[in-house]
């Protein structure tokens, strides 16, 4: 790409992330609470609803990714996924029981899964140089959108109700759909799979497996506890919904740390970045466990650890995708991550019902320690 075309693409992708993050964060802070209420205040049923589309997403995600590599296109599959998300949000706004919510999630996964791997492949193709820094800029745009959306969501949650937030999310998602349509797409034949090899496994670089093993151990804390944050804050710490939305907004804003983290990711090894994230998560989850009220909880929640991990891992995946069929490679990684996250999330929901949900924070802190050790043993210096 030329310099001007390069800048235009980065700008479009950044605006895409900003607008989609704004629309998504209108509903994200309160979606677990919505499922929790539909499930009759049961964590296990809530986790089932949250993970209900896993099997469909796994199978169809690989199908769409393989098709994207075979055809050499990315945008049309991203557009299909966004359109499905719009329709799913509208449908979800009318459900009145957990069974229907699960049905909507499952049906939406058939075509909603078309966008994930294709978008990751598109970004890897557009961000060929200075990937850490460019990912930092891209992520910073998402931070601005996410911060604004989360800040507004608390007010709208109390005035309009969550169902209207879902409908507003669907309406605003038309903007990122339009932006992705403006990106110039080059026909890329270098990583295209043949039709004959459509059902074959993608080429997985050997270095991937150690990286991925470190990743799944290091992200165990989020898999254990990610689904209960909103519920724990509002239902167990008696935090006001408005306070939760402001907390999510401030935490999102602190994600601007992705800019310096992105520069670090270009200079430091993945091993060092993972170690930094693991130590940070250990302190965070111990803080959650020891917090006596929602104010103390909030003080720990805003500390930006996730960007350090996400930028390092995303950059490493982009580098590995240069050696494989991009979309299929990303879908393969996504499949493993989805299965892992879903199984741990459902198990965590069961544990939260059997024991105090606060216990999950202690387990998460121990998992973060294990992840830090694993990163140092598995990854190259």
């Amino acid at each position: 790409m030329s310099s001007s075309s390069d800048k235009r693409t980065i700008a479009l992708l950044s605006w895409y992330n900003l607008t989609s993050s704004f629309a998504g964060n209108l509903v994200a802070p309160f979606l677990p609470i919505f499922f929790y209420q539909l499930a009759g205040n049961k964590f296990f049923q809530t986790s089932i609803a949250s993970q209900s589309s896993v099997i469909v997403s796994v199978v169809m995600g690989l199908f769409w990714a393989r098709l994207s590599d075979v055809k050499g296109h990315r945008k049309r599959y991203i557009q299909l996924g966004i359109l499905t998300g719009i329709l799913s949000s509208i449908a979800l706004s009318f459900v009145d029981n957990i069974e229907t919510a699960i049905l909507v999630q499952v049906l939406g996964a058939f075509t909603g899964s078309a966008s994930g791997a294709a978008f990751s492949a598109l970004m890897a193709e557009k961000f060929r140089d200075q990937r850490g820094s460019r990912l930092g800029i891209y992520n910073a745009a998402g931070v601005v959108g996410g911060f604004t959306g989360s800040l507004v969501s608390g007010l709208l949650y109390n005035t309009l109700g969550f169902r209207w937030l879902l409908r507003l999310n669907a309406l605003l998602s038309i903007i990122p759909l339009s932006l992705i349509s403006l990106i110039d797409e080059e026909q890329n034949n270098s990583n295209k799979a043949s039709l004959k090899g459509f059902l074959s496994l993608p080429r997985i670089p050997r270095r991937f497996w150690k990286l991925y093993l470190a990743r799944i151990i290091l992200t165990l804390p989020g898999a254990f506890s990610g689904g209960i944050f909103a519920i724990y804050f509002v239902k167990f710490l008696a935090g006001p919904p408005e306070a939760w939305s402001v907390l999510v907004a401030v935490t999102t804003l602190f994600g601007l740390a992705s800019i310096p983290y992105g520069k670090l990711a270009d200079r430091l090894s993945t091993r060092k970045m993972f170690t930094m994230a693991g130590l940070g998560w250990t302190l965070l989850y111990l803080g959650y466990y020891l917090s006596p009220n929602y104010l103390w909880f909030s003080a720990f929640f805003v500390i930006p650890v996730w960007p350090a991990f996400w930028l390092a891992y995303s950059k490493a995946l982009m580098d590995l995708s240069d050696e494989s069929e991009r979309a299929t490679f990303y879908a393969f990684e996504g499949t493993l991550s989805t299965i892992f996250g879903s199984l741990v999330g459902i198990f965590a929901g069961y544990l939260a019902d059997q024991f105090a949900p606060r216990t999950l924070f202690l387990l998460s802190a121990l998992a973060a320690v294990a992840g830090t050790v694993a990163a140092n043993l598995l990854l190259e210096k």
Side-chain angles (χ1 to χ4, degrees), residues 267-307:
R267 295 170 53 192
L268 301 181
S269 66
T270 304
R271 179 174 178 263
K272 289 182 178 179
M273 295 293 290
F274 274 28
T275 300
M276 186 189 310
L279 293 174
W281 274 327
T282 301
L283 295 175
L284 253 63
Y285 282 94
L286 282 175
Y288 300 153
Y289 178 75
L290 296 172
S291 295
N293 54 56
Y294 74 87
L295 293 176
W296 276 100
F297 183 92
S298 300
F300 287 100
F301 197 79
V302 297
I303 300 173
V305 174
W306 172 258

